[in-house]
Amino acid sequence: MGFLIRTVITAVAFYIAANVVTGLWFSSLTTLIIAAIIFGVVNAVIRPIVATLSLPVTVLTLGLFTLVVNALMLGLTALLMPGMRITNLSAAFFGAIIIWLVSWLANKLVGDRTAAVAR
């Protein structure tokens, strides 16, 4: 149930980011939902490895390099998803920020309610 809720939150975040950021594009709603699933898998499997390897740079930049790692994960998702397109690095960077922000806000709002339902 939690995976489904997080996938819907990510899909909504992708939709908002695609409407705000020029250069982030999805061919259809189905592509957007599948991209949200792939993004979740990429963040669960590959992101921890990249975050661990980039830890010295992250420490030197006081955590700001995490934004670059997020943009890389979004770019990797675009490479794996045929109907998703990112035209440049700034679109990936700002798209990742918007996706993180919307996901964070939605998880804050929904997180407490899903925990109460699970009990």
Side-chain angles (χ1 to χ4, degrees), residues 36-108:
I37 293 169
I38 291 173
F39 188 68
V41 171
V42 165
N43 275 336
V45 176
I46 298 172
R47 189 177 189 281
I49 297 167
V50 174
T52 302
L53 292 174
S54 66
L55 189 60
V57 178
T58 303
V59 170
L60 286 174
T61 61
L62 302 174
L64 291 176
F65 194 73
T66 305
L67 298 173
V68 174
V69 171
N70 290 343
L72 289 172
M73 296 304 105
L74 186 62
L76 180 60
T77 303
L79 285 175
L80 296 173
M81 189 67 215
M84 179 180 175
R85 188 167 309 156
I86 299 176
T87 57
N88 54 32
L89 184 61
S90 66
F93 185 76
F94 291 116
I97 291 173
I98 290 172
I99 291 166
W100 169 79
L101 183 62
V102 171
S103 296
W104 179 77
L105 286 172
N107 282 322
K108 278 293 195 188

